[in-house]
Amino acid sequence: MRHKVLKISSLLLLVQLAGCASLGVQPWERDLLAKDEMALDAEGVDLALDDHIYFSKEATSGGRAFAGGGCGCN
């Protein structure tokens, strides 16, 4: 019974370690992520609308860059 538990636990450990083997961006995928449209601030109109919403709801300016706001919550 003990030998069977040891086999199963070592198999689970190997499966968990193999699951972390492919983290990160591959070199051939980096060219797609470097395009201008992939930037977080690619759309100026969307940023202006977001700033207006944050300013209206949080009673603060620059709402995207700072935590918290006019409501007192963080």
Side-chain angles (χ1 to χ4, degrees), residues 24-47:
V25 179
Q26 300 298 326
W28 55 87
E29 296 172 330
R30 292 182 185 167
D31 65 335
L32 298 175
L33 295 174
K35 290 185 177 180
D36 290 336
E37 56 266 10
M38 293 297 287
L40 294 176
D41 57 352
E43 298 292 328
V45 175
D46 290 338
L47 289 177

Side-chain angles (χ1 to χ4, degrees), residues 1-52:
M1 179 72 174
R2 183 178 169 119
H3 183 64
K4 190 174 187 178
V5 171
L6 183 61
K7 269 187 167 177
I8 291 173
S9 62
S10 30
L11 179 66
L12 286 174
L13 178 67
L14 286 174
V15 168
Q16 288 177 347
L17 289 174
C20 298
S22 64
L23 296 177
V25 179
Q26 300 298 326
W28 55 87
E29 296 172 330
R30 292 182 185 167
D31 65 335
L32 298 175
L33 295 174
K35 290 185 177 180
D36 290 336
E37 56 266 10
M38 293 297 287
L40 294 176
D41 57 352
E43 298 292 328
V45 175
D46 290 338
L47 289 177
L49 289 173
D50 286 344
D51 282 340
H52 176 71

